[in-house]
Structures are given as C-alpha cells and as structure tokens.
Amino acid sequence: MGFAGSEGPEGLTLVRSESPVTRASVAEKLQSERRLRASVVVLALVLLPEDGPFDSGMVFPAGTRELFQVMRDAAPEGIDVEVACSDDRYAELTLHSEEWRLPLILVGDMLATPFLLDVLANYVYDKLKGLLPGRSAKVRSRIILETAKGSFFLEYDGPAEDYVETISTGIDAVKGDIESIGD
Amino acid sequence: MASGEELAHIVESHDKLGTVREQLGSYRNRSGKLSTGFWKVLEAVKGAAVASGDEDLAKATWCLGTTGTAQDHFVEAMDLLGKDQFYAGWCELERCEVALRALRRHYRPPDDRWGIRHMESHVAHLQDLFPYRVFISPSYVVREAECTICGAPAYTIRSGCNHRTGEIYGGEICNRLVTRADFIEVSFVSNPVQKYSVAFPERGFNYGGVRYVRQGLRHPWTAWSYERSERETDRKLYPSADRNDMCPCGSGLKYERCCINKRATKPHFQIIFGEPPPAGYPSHVDDASFWVTDELSSLRGKTEDQDTA
C-alpha cells in the first residue's frame, strides 16, 4: 500500500491495520458512559484520550478543548465531532517542550477527511502566526482512519509548516490503497 | 468583529488613539519606559469602547497596549543587560517575546513605526547569544481551570463558555487560569514552552557575547546582527586518543588513519553594529580572556579596531 514500510514524506509514518487504538478498545474504556460509548461507535470524528504518564489517568494534550470547539463550530451537516470523555473526567496534559501535540483523532468516515484537513490547517496556521520570524515549531499528531477495508494509522512528528500537506499526502495514500483493495 | 485589515485601520488611524500612537512612535527618543500618562489614556479609551460595546476599538487598544508592554520589557531588558544582570535581562526578553507572540496573532504593522520588527529580530538575536541551552521544565495534568474573561470553568468539554484562548474580548486577552493540577515531573529540555527555568551549572556561564554586544550599543534600539561560524583551534579533536586506538568518531578505522589531524573548533561570532560602538571599544575578544559571569563585572578584551568583532 502507499508508502507503508518504505520512505514517505519526512516525519510521517503510515501503518496499516496496526493502530494501537480502535473504536472497540475506546468503547470498552467507556463502559460507564453509555451515551459516549454509542458516539464513539458511530461518529465521523472522535478525539480520543490517551494514558497519561505515571498513572495520571486518561488525558488529552493541552489545547484539545480549544481544537474541539473549533471543530464543533465549523462542522458541516452530517459530520459529527465528539470527545471520548465525560466533562467531569476531562483533563489536559501540559508538557514542557515547545511542541504542539494534537489529540489522537479517530476518523470513522473518510468523507470527513477534507473537513478535518481544513480544520487542522487553520488551527496550525493560527498558531504559526504567533511564532517570531526565524523560529520554528514541531507538531506531533496521530490519526486513525477506520474503514471497511481496514484500519490505518498515521503518525506525524515533524515541522509544523509541513504538517497539513504531509498528513494530506498520507490520507491520499490510504484512499488509493482502499481503492486498490477492491470489494 | 473587524477583519485583520479593518483592525489595522483602527489601530493605525483612530483619532482617539493619536496620542498613544505618538508615544509609541517616540521609542527611539525615549531612554526609559512609557509614561503613566500613556497607560491612563489607553485605559480611558478602552473603558469607553467597552462601555459602548465597541469591541473593535477595545481590541485596537489591546494591540497598542501590548506593543507598549513589549517596548517596556525590551527597554528594561537592555537596561539590565547593560548592568550585567544577565538572567534578569533574559527574563525581560522572554516577557517581551510573550507579548510579541500574542500580538502577532492579531496585528502586524506595515513598517517598523513602533519598533515591533526591531524587537522581533533583536530579541531572537540576543537569545541566540545567551549561553543558556538547557531548561528545567515541569509537566502537569490540569484538572480544573477558569476562563480569565468570564470566570467560567474552562476544562469542561460540553459546557462552559465559548471564549477562546488567545482571542481578545473587551480589550483583554483570553487565557486559562489553572485552579487544580497534578504535578507530574520535571524534564531537562532544550526548547521549553517558557524560557525562565534555566538550568544553572555550578561553574557559572560565560556571558561574554551578550555583554560584548550590549556594551557596544550606543542606544537600546541600535540595530545589530551577527554571523556565527566555527573556527579551528590548536587543540586536537580527540586529545586523549592513542594513534593505535580505534577512532573515537566511530568510523571503525584506526585513529591514526582517521581523525588524527583534525582540530577542535569553537564558535566564532562576528558582530555587525548598526552604528559604531563607543570609542576605544575592543574589536576582538577571546573566550579565554572574556569569561563573564553574573558576579564578574569587568570587561576584559584586547583593544584593537573599534567597528567590528
């Protein structure tokens, strides 16, 4: 498929069917949250928590709420966005270095990818505007694409300026791979 | 809410902000910070704008106030560096950068009428010359926070306010005030979120480069730049290696067949001053004779030409 296992765009790793997180595994962790559990199973875009360090529980990267607000407000009809966490358990992990960590995003409908790329582009562009001339920043992002043909895992760890274009290339590779798999 | 272009028009030409702009524009002629009169006028205009619901004018006052804040921090930093208070000066540079970064998201002037471009480039230049490379940086899990605009809980996903961090409301920037957090750990990092937490070695730092530049500037707003290169020294690159050892560079070859003739290098900074430094200023200073820590206040260097180093 695409460039899995071979050299792809710098900073991008694309793996097929080896996502460490799936809808099922997230839904399992939300046993006590029936409504949320149902959302994770059906919605187009879900922001997922991750295990925090040193038993600090499930956490989201700093700025997740802000990104969620933008996604929710901008989402077109038919593209529903949710955060897989109840209000009272929501917590953000603030790390130390100047890297922009985005939440783990589960894409359950490939039709939502153009919207997702638009939102991420605007979000990163807005942050880049605040950088002084000559300074750079890194982005860390993981996206899971769950399709009928399998699960695809995109991981980016590279310059903020190249983030959206690289992720877009990765998504295109996944789409190409889905078509090549056939019915 | 005004577009970026409309906001720029208000910032640059609204008649109620004329005296504010004038004072900001006089930065090169000022040796100190902005007067209290500047802040009073700004507060009065902002107060009236908020009272009348004019969010755009209120935002314009924030832009000009943040410009003034950056100017004041920059001037303070240069003053402290001129007194050899290097860490305190470093912190002022960081505060200046924080103000500039917040401002850049909303407003960028078409020219350097208020010194914004000068600060953006020269804060970065000065930071590059500082010897600080490692920072102690904490990480937290934030459980609860408040919105600084309305006080609503900021860490609830589906309720709370719609204010966005970094946006301007009623002439104030929106931030998150953390009210409950779990401390996780500290790490040593090279690119911290905030640059205050410098890891200080016991032997102190060499501030020679910073001091050389600051004392060579006739005025805090004098332009300068630098070029960095590596220069070979007389010292061997691997002085403890024996010629029959495997080369320490990891090539797999014997040292005598690999790096035996290589010499260690040291960074060399060539400073280009926008206007000639004070008379008698050394044109060249060497690390060995220019070790300057927070405690050592004497400038030691070779006196040669006076224009560059």
Side-chain angles (χ1 to χ4, degrees):
Chain A
M1 68 157 283
F3 44 79
S6 61
E7 284 292 308
E10 191 183 343
L12 184 70
T13 309
L14 174 56
V15 182
R16 186 183 165 205
S17 300
E18 289 183 22
S19 165
V21 183
T22 63
R23 280 179 190 275
S25 67
V26 175
E28 199 177 314
K29 285 186 177 177
L30 293 169
Q31 286 293 348
S32 58
E33 319 270 355
R34 289 180 61 188
R35 193 192 66 81
L36 270 175
R37 207 173 128 201
S39 297
V40 167
V41 173
V42 298
L43 291 186
L45 295 169
V46 185
L47 309 187
L48 302 174
E50 299 179 67
D51 286 321
F54 304 110
D55 298 325
S56 53
M58 299 302 281
V59 295
F60 293 85
T64 297
R65 183 183 187 271
E66 190 186 338
L67 177 63
F68 174 61
Q69 276 183 320
V70 174
M71 291 175 90
R72 187 190 55 193
D73 294 351
E77 205 175 319
I79 304 286
D80 292 313
V81 187
E82 186 54 279
V83 177
C85 180
S86 61
D87 269 1
D88 57 340
R89 290 191 181 171
Y90 182 76
E92 289 190 356
L93 176 64
T94 302
L95 288 173
H96 15 68
S97 56
E98 183 71 295
E99 284 179 335
W100 302 335
R101 293 171 176 82
L102 300 179
L104 179 60
I105 301 172
L106 180 81
V107 181
D109 182 349
M110 291 300 281
L111 293 175
T113 54
F115 163 70
L116 177 65
L117 286 171
D118 276 352
V119 170
L120 293 176
N122 287 334
Y123 185 76
V124 172
Y125 173 74
D126 203 41
K127 279 181 163 288
L128 280 171
K129 279 200 298 188
L131 279 186
L132 293 194
R135 298 296 197 218
S136 58
K138 284 181 75 179
V139 166
R140 278 190 190 185
S141 164
R142 298 194 298 168
I143 297 173
I144 300 163
L145 302 160
E146 282 211 343
T147 74
K149 305 280 175 62
S151 172
F152 300 80
F153 183 59
L154 289 170
E155 183 168 17
Y156 182 79
D157 184 358
E161 302 82 35
D162 303 335
Y163 169 63
V164 173
E165 195 178 333
T166 308
I167 283 290
S168 178
T169 305
I171 289 174
D172 285 345
V174 170
K175 284 177 178 170
D177 203 49
I178 292 169
E179 283 170 16
S180 71
I181 291 170
D183 293 322
Chain B
M1 191 65 83
S3 67
E5 214 168 287
E6 289 164 341
L7 176 68
H9 181 71
I10 299 169
V11 169
E12 290 156 19
S13 59
H14 198 286
D15 55 1
K16 287 182 180 168
L17 296 168
T19 56
V20 169
R21 285 192 296 269
E22 203 173 294
Q23 289 191 61
L24 286 175
S26 70
Y27 65 97
R28 285 184 187 278
N29 304 323
R30 250 187 295 121
S31 55
K33 295 182 180 180
L34 286 156
S35 67
T36 50
F38 169 87
W39 298 106
K40 279 183 182 171
V41 171
L42 204 61
E43 275 303 306
V45 177
K46 186 171 84 176
V50 172
S52 64
D54 190 343
E55 274 289 323
D56 296 336
L57 180 56
K59 186 170 181 176
T61 65
W62 177 85
C63 292
L64 292 169
T66 304
T67 304
T69 300
Q71 281 188 1
D72 278 358
H73 285 308
F74 186 77
V75 169
E76 179 70 11
M78 297 305 275
D79 184 50
L80 289 164
L81 297 179
K83 296 172 183 167
D84 288 353
Q85 294 180 38
F86 299 108
Y87 176 67
W90 169 267
C91 291
E92 284 299 315
L93 289 175
E94 169 68 354
R95 290 178 189 117
C96 180
E97 183 183 337
V98 168
L100 292 171
R101 288 177 65 156
L103 183 63
R104 278 177 70 85
R105 286 181 66 173
H106 303 282
Y107 173 69
R108 292 186 202 185
D111 50 36
D112 203 23
R113 68 186 73 178
W114 299 317
I116 292 172
R117 290 184 186 176
H118 179 95
M119 290 187 283
E120 286 179 343
S121 59
H122 287 75
V123 165
H125 285 167
L126 277 165
Q127 288 170 337
D128 289 345
L129 280 191
F130 262 81
Y132 304 152
R133 294 290 177 269
V134 179
F135 302 85
I136 304 165
S137 202
S139 70
Y140 297 90
V141 171
V142 181
R143 307 280 179 197
E144 290 174 13
E146 290 174 4
C147 170
T148 58
I149 299 297
C150 66
Y155 274 41
T156 54
I157 285 289
R158 296 164 193 87
S159 56
C161 65
N162 284 319
H163 294 127
R164 291 193 179 155
T165 51
E167 252 317 322
I168 313 300
Y169 303 94
E172 301 290 338
I173 192 165
C174 177
N175 278 313
R176 297 285 173 255
L177 180 66
V178 175
T179 52
R180 188 166 74 88
D182 297 333
F183 171 78
I184 302 295
E185 43 102 12
V186 290
S187 291
F188 290 94
V189 299
S190 59
N191 57 339
V193 174
Q194 51 81 17
K195 302 186 186 76
Y196 304 114
S197 52
V198 177
F200 284 92
E202 272 186 24
R203 64 186 174 88
F205 280 119
N206 180 6
Y207 293 98
V210 183
R211 192 169 199 259
Y212 182 81
V213 167
R214 177 61 192 99
Q215 297 204 351
L217 299 176
R218 289 178 178 271
H219 191 275
W221 297 93
T222 300
W224 63 277
S225 61
Y226 75 89
E227 287 171 13
R228 183 189 166 123
S229 57
E230 294 291 324
R231 287 206 169 173
E232 223 172 61
T233 67
D234 294 336
R235 287 182 292 115
K236 284 184 173 179
L237 183 59
Y238 302 114
S240 59
D242 185 85
R243 61 189 311 116
N244 290 317
D245 289 346
M246 297 304 284
C247 188
C249 77
S251 64
L253 298 172
K254 275 194 171 181
Y255 177 53
E256 66 177 346
R257 292 182 172 275
C258 190
C259 294
I260 195 163
N261 292 321
K262 286 188 178 170
R263 295 286 174 262
T265 61
K266 65 176 182 179
H268 176 81
F269 292 91
Q270 180 168 357
I271 311 295
I272 300 108
F273 289 108
E275 53 183 289
Y281 204 65
S283 69
H284 172 264
V285 288
D286 190 82
D287 274 358
S289 60
F290 201 64
W291 182 268
V292 184
T293 69
D294 282 304
E295 292 77 39
L296 184 63
S297 59
S298 61
L299 173 65
R300 294 176 296 181
K302 298 176 205 165
T303 303
E304 291 173 12
D305 302 328
Q306 291 162 16
D307 47 1
T308 59

